[in-house]
Amino acid sequence: MNEFDLAVIGLGYVGMPLAKEATGAGLRVVGLDVDAGKVDALNAGQSYIDDLTDADLDQMLKNGFTATFDEAVLARADTIVICVPTPLDDDHRPDLSAVEGATKAVSRHLTAGTLVVLESTTWPGTTDEVARPLLESCGLVAGRDFHLAFSPERIDPGNPKFGLRNTPKVVGGYTPDCLDRAAAFYARFVEQVVRVSGTREAEMAKLLENTYRHVNIALVNEMAIFCDELGVDLWESIEAAATKPFGFQKFLPGPGVGGHCIPVDPSYLSYTVRKLGYPFRFVELAQEINERMPAYVVARVQRLLNRHRKAVNGARVVLLGVTYKPDIADERETPAVPLARALLELGAELAFVDPYVKDWRVDGNQVPRADDLAEAVAAADITVLLQQHSVFDLATIEERAGLVLDTRGVLAEGERVERL
C-alpha cells in the first residue's frame, strides 16, 4: 500500500480544489509544485486561491494534506493527477511545456499499477500523442503496466453554486480498464462521473464547452457595437429574448474576455483544426471580435469625453474592477490590461478601485489604487465600470460620478451614464 492515495501536480486554481475535495473524502493527498513559495504558504496554512479559505486549508492540513516540491513523492502515490497551466505562447500557439515537464517528472518515478490523469486543458490527442510516450519512456506500458486517462477540469472560480463535487466529471481512458480505474477514483469524491469512449473525446469536450461560450460572447459583443450606432438598447433586447423558455441562452457583452479558459482554450481547438490544413473560421472570428473589445471601450471613452469637451490626454480616468470576473482576485487574461495600456498611451491619468487587488501594474508600471469608491469616482473626469463586484455601491457611482461608461449594463443610463 502506497503512502498517498493521490498526488496532485500543480497547486493552483485547479489543483487545490481537487486536493480539497479528495482530502475531505478521506484520501491521503500530497501536492507537488515547482514554486517553493506556494509550497511554503500552503504548509503554513496561507491560501492564495479564491475558493480556498485559510480555514479550509487548515482543515486539509489537519486531515493529512501536505505540499512539497520534492517529486520523489510521486513514487509513493496510487494516483497522480496533473493540473498544470496550458497557456499560449507569444505566437498564440499552445504551450505544453508545463505538461511535458510534469509528465517527465511522473515518468521518472512511475511505478506499476499507478493511475495517471491529465486534467490540464489541451488539444485532442495530447494524452495519447504527448503524455503517453513520455510516460512510457520509463519502460512501463500504458494500459498494461499503468493506467492513463484524461479528465478536463471544470473549475469556475467564485461560483457559489457549483464546485468540483457537484459538477459532473467527464472522464476518458486510454483503454476500457483505464477508464474503469479513473471513473472509480473520481467517484470517491465527485457526485457524477460522465464516461466517454476515449481521451480524445474528453479533451474535445472541454474545448467545445469554452468555444461555445467564446463564440456566443463574440456574437453579443459585435451586436453591442452596431446596436450602439443603431440606437438600440441591446441590454433590454437580451433580457426580452431571455424570456423565451427554449432555444435561447443569455450571454452578455463586456469589455473583453478573460480568465484561464475562454481567451485560451478555443485557440487550442483552432490549432488542432489548422493541422488538418484549414482554418476554424468561427473561432478565429470570435477571437478577433473579443480581442478588439478593449479598444472599442477606449473609443467609447474618447467619444463620451469629447461630447463634454474633454480630451483623453490629461483626463482623470478611474477603472472599477480590474479582475476578469466579479468577486474574485483572479487577474488572468483580464481585458483591463490592454484597455489600461491604450488609455495610458493616450495620456490618461489612470487610477483603479478594486477591493480584491492591492497592487496592479500594466507593463511594469504601477497604476495608483484608490480605496474610497465615492471619492475616486467624484474626482474622476470619467469612470469606467469594468467589473461589477458586489461590494460596489451602484447608487454611489450613479450619484457621485461625473461621466460613466458602464460596460456591464448594471447602471441606469442618463445624461452622464452610458452603457456599452
Side-chain angles (χ1 to χ4, degrees), residues 226-255:
F226 68 70
C227 279
D228 172 60
E229 297 187 26
L230 291 173
V232 174
D233 187 336
L234 177 62
W235 303 92
E236 184 177 351
S237 296
I238 290 173
E239 293 303 324
T243 62
K244 185 179 180 181
F246 54 88
F248 182 82
Q249 182 177 355
K250 183 171 74 173
F251 289 85
L252 297 173

Side-chain angles (χ1 to χ4, degrees), residues 88-100:
L88 301 174
D89 64 17
D90 292 338
D91 295 320
H92 276 243
R93 295 175 303 186
D95 179 1
L96 296 184
S97 58
V99 168
E100 292 171 348

Side-chain angles (χ1 to χ4, degrees), residues 181-406:
R181 173 70 183 275
F185 164 73
Y186 282 111
R188 298 176 70 178
F189 53 90
V190 177
E191 293 175 3
Q192 180 183 357
V193 174
V194 180
R195 294 168 173 247
V196 294
S197 59
T199 56
R200 283 175 170 80
E201 286 71 22
E203 290 162 337
M204 180 61 80
K206 172 64 174 180
L207 297 183
L208 177 59
E209 293 170 12
N210 286 324
T211 299
Y212 170 81
R213 295 169 62 201
H214 187 55
V215 169
N216 280 281
I217 291 171
L219 171 65
V220 293
N221 276 338
E222 187 164 41
M223 292 185 75
I225 294 172
F226 68 70
C227 279
D228 172 60
E229 297 187 26
L230 291 173
V232 174
D233 187 336
L234 177 62
W235 303 92
E236 184 177 351
S237 296
I238 290 173
E239 293 303 324
T243 62
K244 185 179 180 181
F246 54 88
F248 182 82
Q249 182 177 355
K250 183 171 74 173
F251 289 85
L252 297 173
V257 294
H260 62 299
C261 288
I262 297 179
V264 176
D265 295 357
S267 293
Y268 274 70
L269 187 52
S270 178
Y271 169 80
T272 303
V273 175
R274 279 196 170 275
K275 290 195 298 181
L276 301 177
Y278 51 86
F280 192 175
R281 295 176 182 173
F282 267 116
V283 166
E284 293 173 9
L285 180 58
Q287 195 84 15
E288 177 186 333
I289 292 169
N290 287 332
E291 286 183 350
R292 80 179 187 188
M293 288 307 292
Y296 174 69
V297 172
V298 171
R300 290 286 299 273
V301 168
Q302 288 180 292
R303 190 181 76 183
L304 188 52
L305 285 169
N306 285 342
R307 285 177 178 171
H308 291 78
R309 302 179 181 275
K310 296 180 181 179
V312 176
N313 190 2
R316 294 166 295 180
V317 181
V318 62
L319 306 180
L320 304 185
V322 296
T323 59
Y324 90 89
K325 65 182 299 187
D327 299 332
I328 63 170
D330 197 340
E331 301 173 44
R332 287 176 294 176
E333 305 296 331
T334 172
V337 169
L339 190 148
R341 180 183 297 123
L343 288 171
L344 289 170
E345 289 175 353
L346 290 172
E349 295 180 7
L350 210 58
F352 81 99
V353 179
D354 196 313
Y356 298 95
V357 179
K358 303 305 179 186
D359 181 82
W360 192 49
R361 297 173 184 271
V362 176
D363 300 331
N365 299 312
Q366 187 167 26
V367 179
R369 180 179 188 272
D371 294 315
D372 189 285
L373 175 67
E375 291 181 3
V377 300
D381 291 309
I382 187 168
T383 295
V384 185
L385 178 62
L386 295 179
Q387 201 53 264
Q388 70 275 36
H389 294 312
S390 58
V391 297
F392 287 158
D393 187 337
L394 301 183
T396 295
I397 299 171
E398 292 170 347
E399 293 168 4
R400 298 292 301 276
L403 302 178
V404 183
L405 179 62
D406 172 16

